[in-house]
Amino acid sequence: MKSHFDGVDPILCPRDPKTGEPLPPRSQPGYYPGFSTLSQGAFWDTATRAVVDKRVKHPPEPKFFAAEAWTFWTTVFAHLIPQTDRIPERQIPIVATLDHRLANDQTAGYRYETMPPDRVVYEIGIEAIDREAQHRYRGKFLVLPYLEQDLVLKAIHDGKPEAAQEIWKHMSVHRFWQMIMGDAIDAYYAHPWAWDEIGFGGPAYPRAYTRLERGEPEPWEVEEQRYVWLAPANSASAEVDSSPSHHAESGQHSLPVRSSKGARR
Amino acid sequence: MANELSLTPPVLDMKMVANYVREGRFQRSLALLTAATSVISGLEVAYEHYRGSYSRRVMYTPVILSGLLAIAGVAAFFSRRAARTVLRLVSVVTLIDALAGFYFHVRGIHRKPGGWRLPMTNMIMGPPIFAPLLFGTSAYLGLIASYLQREESSGMPSTSGRDIWFARLLPPSAGRELLSAEQDMREGRFQRQVAIVTGISALLSGFEAYYSHYKNNFRYAMQWSPVVIAPVLAGVAFSSIKSRRLATTALPAVSAIAGADAAIGFYYHVRGVLRRPGGRKRLLYNVMYGPPIFAPLLFGAAGMLGVLASLLRRRRV
Amino acid sequence: MKKPLLGEFETPSSNKYRVGPLQSIHMPMRRFREYEDVDYVIVGVGSAGGVLLQRLARAGFNVVGLEAGPFWDTEHDWVSDEAGSHELYWTEPRVTGGTDPLALGANNCGKGVGGGSVHWAAFTPRLHPSDFEIYTRDSVGADWPITYDEIRPYYEQLELEMPVSGPAYYPWGHPHGYAYGPHPMGGVGNALIKGCSALNIPVSIGGPVAILSGSHGDRPHCIYRGFCIQGCKVGAKASTLVTHVPDAIRTGAEIRDRSMVSRIELGKDGRVTGVHYFDNEGHSHFQRAKAVIVSGYAIETPRLLLNSACPGHEKGLGNSSGTIGRYLMAQAGNVVLGRFEQPVRMYKAPPAHALTEEFYETNPKNDFARGFAIQTVGPLPVAFGKQVLAAKKAWGWGLRREMMDYNHWAAFGLLGEILPWKDNAVTLSEDKDCFGLPIAHVTFNLHENDKKLIKAAREKTEEVMQAAGATEVVQEARYAHLVGACRMGSDPRTSVVDKFGRSHDIPNLFVCDGSLFPTQGSANPGLTIQALAARTADYLVSQGERIFTSNERDMTTTPIRRELAPPETWGKGVPRLK
Ligand SMILES: Cc1cc2nc3c(=O)[nH]c(=O)nc-3n(C[C@H](O)[C@H](O)[C@H](O)COP(=O)(O)OP(=O)(O)OC[C@H]3O[C@@H](n4cnc5c(N)ncnc54)[C@H](O)[C@@H]3O)c2cc1C
Ligand code: SF4
């Protein structure tokens, strides 16, 4: 059994709700077993195939982050988008993509006035997170156990960091969270392995989609086969807020005071 | 009720009809049938081409022609002259239009991204490849009708109204052959020809059914029925060319099954349209993008041709 | 099938300039010299710029379009991929702020020939007649200097040129029918129809969208691949790159791509003489011109005018009114997400394929003026991930789990009218871009009416989603479609340009793009932008040389010149009841 967890700590793996036992990592988590967008590459146009191929086969080399910063953000992203349900060879590189973006100073095309430039965000972000870790658990972020790391990040997610106020004075907590989560999502869900996981059909030119209605799969897509799973016991990120629209227009301004109803359920 | 009004018992009615057909004396009925099928295929092509946004002016031609053909069919019902002139002419033009349409549909699929290298996708998403040929069915009926005798005519079939001018254009032997074929038709001796058309029509509409139902992933088992019946009908129809026995036994039987299947298909398609989001409230839209309601009837048309073939006589040798 | 017949697809390597699988652009194009005094320089070849360029070239003017971004070869440059389409957007630095800061970048404007029309979703409803006089009707916002009737022929014309697919009868505003037939529905459209039908709300199915529902010459019809916002490689979705630029090049226009205009030069006589621009290598150039038209989008247009301040125009070029950059508008674009038990697969079909404008007009029963529309949207995974992040505060395992349900969600976007307010503005920031030019600072604040309207719109949209059968409904606040900021008007004290887009201060300087809008309604702006461009072009053509020589201002409206349309416009489309 042990070998199933090869390289991944079972405690960090999602669990079977019936037995409570950790589920061994898969090469492809999600409800679409056997579905592979990459296998459809021959049906894509040359330009798209090149871009996607490169993403899979040649993730960018480190350029921007120094070694410690690289390790630091790697650890953070392992919380923002944990991948312990994936075998190590099938984990999707996130920091590499971010590093590439920062190295080329690519931005979303704007900066909130409550935020420093992106490169600075990732510099002082380390300090802000470390200070929160120190404040809560008397240790730098990297040395804390997984759950405590999760809780440090959750404090920022909740918009309620207690330390490093002088940093947060110049950097909106909410926007900071939005940026690091945004970068994580940008990297993870742009990857064909993530498409396979969520059942997204991927590129579709020149070949069209033909079955537009009722969520029917194309002949080369796969029907959903759901299974149940629980987040690892020692994680704090499983809860979401499903209450309809009690948020103010907060997505867009000020430091929102979030009632995390969902989290208390 | 019709039976009560009718003076002869239905069996005799049937016999009489069969006799008319046998002798090629059904011009008026067939002309009317031409008109009816033409109206239906006109409607079908009108909204199918509306889906294609009439992005070329040529897409109006089948709509206009099916209107003309319907009118010509009605005219032929009333006038023998019209049957031999207008109906024949409009039928021929419509058949040519059907061929042109087939060309444009093949080309349309070719011009879709991926073209013929993605045959399934682009047949499903592009112009329906065989629809123009199936659209030609009513024109074919019209053409036959134009050569038949009228129901009330008796005695020896007349020889007037032959395409003599056309025969003259051909080499002498071909010209003679044409005239003799015409004469046979007039006498209801063209079973083989109709059997061939039946077979082709069954294959084409079966194929149309196959890929349109494939698009739908054959959600209902019933969707397989035309796909299964069509080749059987085609097989029987083609065998009927050789075997007179089959032509009078299996052919009508399978044809009747195809007809029944078409009726069932029609019902399901109508139901499918009504069950779409918005149902009756968005009726026009749902007719346009729901299951094509008249398509099963085109399959039925193949069945109808089969029945017709079974009632006809074979050519003199 | 494992592979297409004959093996995997390869883009043919030809030296043709391809815009779509079949269409190509006639190269080489005409080139003008910098010292040549061309008739018109157009800054920005986007939605408006593309139409203008085509019209002016066809009318025989010497015209150069300077475009900051690339001249796309769609077969080589574009991809069916979210992350790979980053370059379509304006990602030069900008600062955004205010109480309700707008997300910019991918959320608003394009860079490259075609501009925003390259990555728009291509919803193309018209404004309603009421939109042109909301001040008169409701005492809010401002009136336009033109009426609906003046722009109407241009709506009809551009709907043919794009062309627009939609129902044969569109009931809202001034009722009309569309040139091309409606599109089939995807899962999201069906949800909207179901929800609306259940609540007895009329809904427009399969359009109006500037996406082909039938082929159009060398443009094949839509293949329902859902990557509209990433640029339509098929060429089914209208962008000026495929609708107007080919004809512009054919008739002798020049497009100088990767040319960033930095300043408009003013001569001693108070007329502009040309523009300074940087080429791709960063070298500075000056192109002489008899007249200049700025079509750079509601942010870059005011930025350029502000950056062109000079003696006599210290507040910015042509800014005697002080309104350049002011009255910037965005529409509320909250996304309402609904989860369904049955899969939806919302990535199929174009994001834009059904809408309702039933709540568009001012309703005396409401506590706010004006209204909103509800439309389909179809976010792809990355966009959806960010929506789930915002709408459900999801992260970590929660996010992973929600995302595994991607195929169960449908998304509606509301489109709510936000009124023009003076404090919503584009100003210059202290920060500089790579050319050393001050960048734009965008300030955006919601006001009372806006907030009430958004709340009502959100609730209605959620109600529709629920009626469609969603078991869970959440929403995210957003904004879409920036317009205004160089508004047109009859009063030179409160507007930047007159009703033809001509600067009140400088007779041979024009503005022509979304920044002209005095108000915005709750219709997507693209069609109106292009219609206004065609109208401005007609005016310029009718004025002829007078624009270049005279300071007089002729305000007579001329009849529409349909003969200036690209020739492939004609001979297509469904029969219409006018
Ligand atoms: C995701 C998304 C979806 C949308 N969907 C819709 C929709 O469905 N319907 C709709 O109507 N609208 C939609 N829009 C909005 C629409 O795209 C824009 O309103 C419209 O394109 C604006 O047109 P424009 O002419 O004002 O500017 P643009 O089309 O943006 O053109 C401006 C051009 O000028 C160039 N430029 C700017 N400054 C300079 C300079 N200094 N020098 C040289 N070149 C310069 C830019 O590179 C750009 O190419 C959408 C927008 C987005 C972002
Ligand atoms: S969905 Fe249609 S319009 Fe949109 S990108 Fe695909 S082919 Fe183009």
Side-chain angles (χ1 to χ4, degrees):
Chain A
M1 275 305 279
K2 236 194 151 122
S3 65
H4 288 293
F5 291 90
D6 191 26
V8 180
D9 184 352
I11 304 185
L12 298 182
C13 289
R15 292 162 295 154
D16 184 330
K18 281 194 221 105
T19 61
E21 289 297 310
L23 294 163
R26 308 168 173 232
S27 60
Q28 183 173 323
Y31 313 139
Y32 301 89
F35 174 52
S36 161
T37 39
L38 277 177
S39 73
Q40 299 298 314
F43 293 95
W44 308 342
D45 61 285
T46 319
T48 303
R49 197 160 53 229
V51 164
V52 177
D53 263 7
K54 181 153 178 251
R55 194 171 299 152
V56 177
K57 294 187 189 136
H58 309 286
E61 298 292 318
K63 241 197 207 145
F64 177 78
F65 287 127
E68 307 94 77
W70 182 280
T71 319
F72 185 88
W73 289 112
T74 306
T75 313
V76 170
F77 284 120
H79 291 262
L80 302 189
I81 298 200
Q83 302 191 45
T84 43
D85 54 349
R86 292 182 161 275
I87 56 173
E89 313 80 83
R90 282 289 209 137
Q91 295 186 352
I92 294 169
I94 294 178
V95 183
T97 310
L98 169 64
D99 182 273
H100 182 74
R101 162 169 110 73
L102 295 176
N104 296 316
D105 210 4
Q106 280 172 1
T107 66
Y110 59 100
R111 168 175 77 70
Y112 289 99
E113 59 188 4
T114 51
M115 289 289 281
D118 294 8
R119 288 176 170 183
V120 179
V121 169
Y122 278 95
E123 221 175 275
I124 62 178
I126 298 182
E127 165 117 33
I129 292 172
D130 260 342
R131 298 259 291 274
E132 188 69 21
Q134 284 282 7
H135 169 79
R136 284 177 188 254
Y137 303 106
R138 320 225 147 272
K140 288 207 154 198
F141 182 76
L142 285 183
V143 301
L144 300 183
Y146 188 90
L147 182 60
E148 291 181 353
Q149 287 177 336
D150 238 14
L151 291 169
V152 169
L153 293 172
K154 187 164 186 304
I156 298 171
H157 162 268
D158 291 343
K160 293 173 188 143
E162 285 163 8
Q165 288 312 318
E166 62 289 4
I167 296 181
W168 296 123
K169 219 180 277 163
H170 301 291
M171 178 162 79
S172 147
V173 181
H174 168 57
R175 298 288 174 209
F176 172 72
W177 185 256
Q178 204 183 20
M179 179 178 292
I180 60 176
M181 279 307 297
D183 274 316
I185 290 168
D186 274 336
Y188 189 87
Y189 290 104
H191 202 285
W193 296 340
W195 302 340
D196 299 344
E197 170 188 324
I198 65 175
F200 167 61
Y205 171 81
R207 182 178 55 191
Y209 292 128
T210 58
R211 296 175 182 163
L212 308 183
E213 300 186 276
R214 289 182 298 269
E216 280 175 14
E218 300 296 314
W220 43 274
E221 290 180 328
V222 169
E223 293 270 8
E224 183 184 58
Q225 295 167 42
R226 297 181 78 85
Y227 58 87
V228 279
W229 56 276
L230 291 177
N234 62 344
S235 68
S237 65
E239 299 298 340
V240 292
D241 184 348
S242 301
S243 49
S245 66
H246 69 269
H247 320 295
E249 258 50 62
S250 58
Q252 296 282 338
H253 67 106
S254 68
L255 299 187
V257 188
R258 281 194 210 78
S259 63
S260 15
K261 270 188 202 157
R264 271 185 254 117
R265 247 191 331 205
Chain B
M1 272 172 294
N3 314 356
E4 285 161 36
L5 292 178
S6 147
L7 295 174
T8 44
V11 186
L12 282 188
D13 262 355
M14 294 266 289
K15 275 238 166 88
M16 212 170 74
V17 169
N19 228 16
Y20 277 136
V21 175
R22 228 179 96 73
E23 291 168 6
R25 288 189 289 129
F26 58 109
Q27 184 172 58
R28 299 183 67 174
S29 331
L30 194 59
L32 219 48
L33 192 65
T34 303
T37 53
S38 183
V39 166
I40 289 182
S41 44
L43 285 175
E44 167 101 0
V45 75
Y47 80 74
E48 288 282 355
H49 279 184
Y50 188 83
R51 268 174 69 159
S53 293
Y54 289 98
S55 57
R56 304 171 142 272
R57 285 290 183 247
V58 71
M59 292 163 78
Y60 283 108
T61 56
V63 182
I64 295 166
L65 281 171
S66 52
L68 293 181
L69 187 60
I71 295 168
V74 173
F77 176 76
F78 290 111
S79 142
R80 168 160 145 181
R81 224 180 115 83
R84 295 199 177 153
T85 53
V86 182
L87 182 59
R88 193 173 301 174
L89 182 72
V90 178
S91 299
V92 169
V93 174
T94 307
L95 276 176
I96 294 170
D97 190 61
L99 286 176
F102 180 55
Y103 163 75
F104 277 116
H105 282 215
V106 171
R107 179 171 172 272
I109 293 172
H110 168 68
R111 283 167 64 88
K112 295 217 37 113
W116 278 105
R117 295 176 61 192
L118 295 173
M120 205 58 182
T121 305
N122 283 334
M123 274 190 293
I124 292 176
M125 301 308 280
I129 178 158
F130 293 132
L133 296 182
L134 293 170
F135 166 78
T137 308
S138 52
Y140 173 69
L141 293 180
L143 192 64
I144 302 181
S146 79
Y147 286 102
L148 296 175
Q149 303 167 69
R150 298 185 84 71
E151 281 78 346
E152 63 275 16
S153 66
S154 54
M156 276 303 285
S158 88
T159 49
S160 68
R162 294 193 294 177
D163 290 328
I164 297 182
W165 56 273
F166 186 57
R168 284 208 190 110
L169 291 179
L170 299 171
S173 62
R176 268 197 305 280
E177 167 60 25
L178 177 79
L179 291 180
S180 112
E182 278 183 11
Q183 187 58 30
D184 281 343
M185 248 174 150
R186 198 161 287 124
E187 295 171 19
R189 298 178 187 278
F190 56 111
Q191 186 175 58
R192 287 202 175 114
Q193 182 197 34
V194 178
I196 293 172
V197 175
T198 304
I200 295 174
S201 155
L203 281 185
L204 298 187
S205 52
F207 187 73
E208 291 278 321
Y210 170 66
Y211 74 73
S212 354
H213 289 170
Y214 175 84
K215 171 178 183 182
N216 216 251
N217 208 6
F218 291 96
R219 280 209 312 156
Y220 306 99
M222 197 59 194
Q223 289 183 312
W224 284 104
S225 63
V227 182
V228 172
I229 296 171
V232 176
L233 177 55
V236 173
F238 289 136
S239 314
S240 304
I241 301 168
K242 276 256 166 64
S243 149
R244 178 187 297 224
R245 245 184 88 90
L246 276 180
T248 50
T249 53
L251 186 58
V254 181
S255 297
I257 293 175
D261 188 57
I264 296 171
F266 182 67
Y267 163 75
Y268 272 116
H269 281 214
V270 170
R271 196 184 71 157
V273 165
L274 295 177
R275 280 190 175 183
R276 286 181 53 81
R280 253 173 255 268
K281 281 190 194 161
R282 322 269 169 234
L283 196 58
L284 283 180
Y285 182 84
N286 284 340
V287 165
M288 205 165 134
Y289 278 111
I293 45 177
F294 297 128
L297 297 183
L298 281 174
F299 182 62
M304 192 182 71
L305 284 170
V307 172
L308 178 62
S310 73
L311 294 176
L312 291 166
R313 289 183 286 178
R314 299 169 92 79
R315 279 191 77 177
R316 271 185 283 249
V317 244
Chain C
M1 240 165 68
K2 285 247 164 60
K3 278 195 176 153
L5 300 180
L6 313 177
E8 67 181 23
F9 286 118
E10 296 290 349
T11 305
S13 54
S14 73
N15 39 14
K16 271 196 193 159
Y17 215 94
R18 311 232 292 169
V19 284
L22 301 173
Q23 196 180 10
S24 57
I25 287 188
H26 294 265
M27 292 287 186
M29 64 184 150
R30 183 168 175 188
R31 297 277 178 190
F32 294 94
R33 307 286 165 97
E34 282 175 4
Y35 53 77
E36 260 179 274
D37 210 3
V38 300
D39 296 329
Y40 286 99
V41 153
I42 299 173
V43 182
V45 187
S47 291
V51 174
L52 268 176
L53 191 77
Q54 183 271 334
R55 288 296 203 273
L56 294 176
R58 192 157 263 284
F61 289 103
N62 291 337
V63 39
V64 176
L66 292 173
E67 168 54 52
F71 198 147
W72 305 112
D73 173 322
T74 64
E75 283 289 292
H76 289 108
D77 299 339
W78 293 358
V79 290
S80 290
D81 178 61
E82 262 185 299
S85 301
H86 197 68
E87 300 206 338
L88 302 182
Y89 309 109
W90 188 282
T91 53
E92 299 301 313
R94 285 169 178 165
V95 180
T96 183
T99 53
D100 305 85
L102 302 173
L104 304 174
N107 198 35
N108 60 98
C109 86
K111 186 174 180 183
V113 176
S117 69
V118 159
H119 61 68
W120 67 339
F123 264 127
T124 40
R126 299 179 184 178
L127 289 177
H128 290 195
S130 64
D131 283 319
F132 295 83
E133 46 182 46
I134 71 171
Y135 185 75
T136 306
R137 287 171 176 238
D138 298 330
S139 314
V140 294
D143 286 350
W144 287 52
I146 59 174
T147 60
Y148 177 82
D149 285 331
E150 279 173 76
I151 196 172
R152 178 178 151 193
Y154 293 95
Y155 278 149
E156 288 164 358
Q157 181 60 27
L158 264 298
E159 283 169 0
L160 288 176
E161 291 178 27
M162 290 180 172
V164 177
S165 303
Y169 179 79
Y170 188 76
W172 298 288
H174 168 255
H176 55 279
Y178 284 101
Y180 266 43
H183 282 278
M185 286 295 97
V188 182
N190 275 340
L192 186 65
I193 297 173
K194 258 192 220 145
C196 284
S197 299
L199 300 173
N200 265 321
I201 300 169
V203 54
S204 169
I205 311 180
V209 285
I211 296 177
L212 295 177
S213 56
S215 62
H216 190 265
D218 278 344
R219 292 170 54 204
H221 84 57
C222 177
I223 63 171
Y224 305 103
R225 62 198 261 278
F227 279 93
C228 303
I229 295 187
Q230 285 67 34
C232 177
K233 284 194 82 142
V234 177
K237 187 189 72 173
S239 67
T240 54
L241 178 66
V242 300
T243 55
H244 289 84
V245 165
D247 190 54
I249 301 295
R250 196 158 50 211
T251 48
E254 178 188 348
I255 294 178
R256 225 168 278 165
D257 67 341
R258 301 179 198 272
S259 302
M260 171 72 188
V261 176
S262 52
R263 200 158 60 81
I264 301 169
E265 185 70 33
L266 191 71
K268 289 201 190 72
D269 56 354
R271 298 170 61 88
V272 296
T273 57
V275 298
H276 297 273
Y277 69 95
F278 290 102
D279 67 16
N280 202 26
E281 271 83 55
H283 301 304
S284 173
H285 301 263
F286 180 69
Q287 174 66 53
R288 291 168 58 84
K290 295 179 193 156
V292 172
I293 310 174
V294 188
S295 306
Y297 192 74
I299 298 178
E300 290 307 308
T301 291
R303 176 188 173 208
L304 177 60
L305 295 175
L306 293 175
N307 269 337
S308 301
C310 60
H313 292 262
E314 284 77 7
K315 290 189 296 179
L317 196 61
N319 196 16
S320 65
S321 64
T323 44
I324 289 185
R326 304 257 152 213
Y327 302 102
L328 177 74
M329 289 169 282
Q331 283 161 329
N334 300 49
V335 172
V336 169
L337 302 166
R339 189 186 185 285
F340 292 79
E341 279 314 311
Q342 291 305 310
V344 177
R345 295 195 188 251
M346 67 174 152
Y347 54 89
K348 297 183 189 184
H353 61 281
L355 62 81
T356 176
E357 287 187 352
E358 190 62 12
F359 310 100
Y360 192 104
E361 302 283 346
T362 298
N363 181 343
K365 286 193 200 128
N366 291 338
D367 58 350
F368 55 87
R370 306 306 296 160
F372 57 92
I374 304 176
Q375 310 185 327
T376 54
V377 284
L380 299 182
V382 171
F384 181 67
K386 293 183 185 174
Q387 285 163 4
V388 170
L389 165 72
K392 300 195 75 175
K393 313 290 173 227
W395 69 290
W397 287 109
L399 181 76
R400 286 287 307 285
R401 183 189 295 283
E402 294 298 322
M403 289 299 289
M404 284 192 195
D405 275 353
Y406 172 63
N407 280 342
H408 284 267
W409 290 85
F412 299 158
L414 65 85
L415 206 58
E417 175 164 358
I418 291 177
L419 297 172
W421 305 106
K422 196 164 187 186
D423 57 342
N424 289 342
V426 176
T427 50
L428 293 179
S429 154
E430 318 256 277
D431 296 2
K432 305 267 162 61
D433 68 6
C434 60
F435 302 111
L437 302 169
I439 64 172
H441 185 129
V442 177
T443 307
F444 197 71
N445 312 307
L446 289 181
H447 293 243
E448 253 342 276
N449 194 76
D450 312 329
K451 290 181 187 164
K452 286 182 187 156
L453 183 149
I454 292 172
K455 180 164 177 289
R458 209 184 60 205
E459 284 165 5
K460 183 55 80 181
T461 313
E462 286 165 358
E463 190 186 337
V464 174
M465 187 62 95
Q466 245 132 18
T471 51
E472 179 186 347
V473 178
V474 294
Q475 71 94 34
E476 178 215 12
R478 323 176 127 246
Y479 304 91
H481 310 146
L482 274 65
V483 293
C486 280
R487 68 176 179 182
M488 56 164 146
S490 337
D491 186 348
R493 289 166 307 179
T494 56
S495 60
V496 182
V497 295
D498 69 18
K499 66 175 179 177
F500 296 109
R502 182 189 269 200
S503 159
H504 287 304
D505 301 346
I506 302 169
N508 64 340
L509 175 65
F510 292 79
V511 171
C512 184
D513 60 14
S515 46
L516 295 179
F517 287 27
T519 62
Q520 59 178 350
S522 30
N524 318 55
L527 174 71
T528 306
I529 291 174
Q530 294 193 29
L532 283 177
R535 179 174 167 276
T536 292
D538 278 1
Y539 175 73
L540 298 180
V541 172
S542 70
Q543 293 293 308
E545 295 286 311
R546 264 177 295 169
I547 298 283
F548 310 138
T549 53
S550 156
N551 287 354
E552 249 170 69
R553 204 173 279 268
D554 179 356
M555 297 305 281
T556 39
T557 302
T558 50
I560 181 168
R561 294 168 186 270
R562 298 194 190 274
E563 70 278 10
L564 291 183
E568 39 299 352
T569 305
W570 310 109
K572 305 174 176 80
V574 303
R576 281 192 304 157
L577 314 167
K578 265 275 156 114

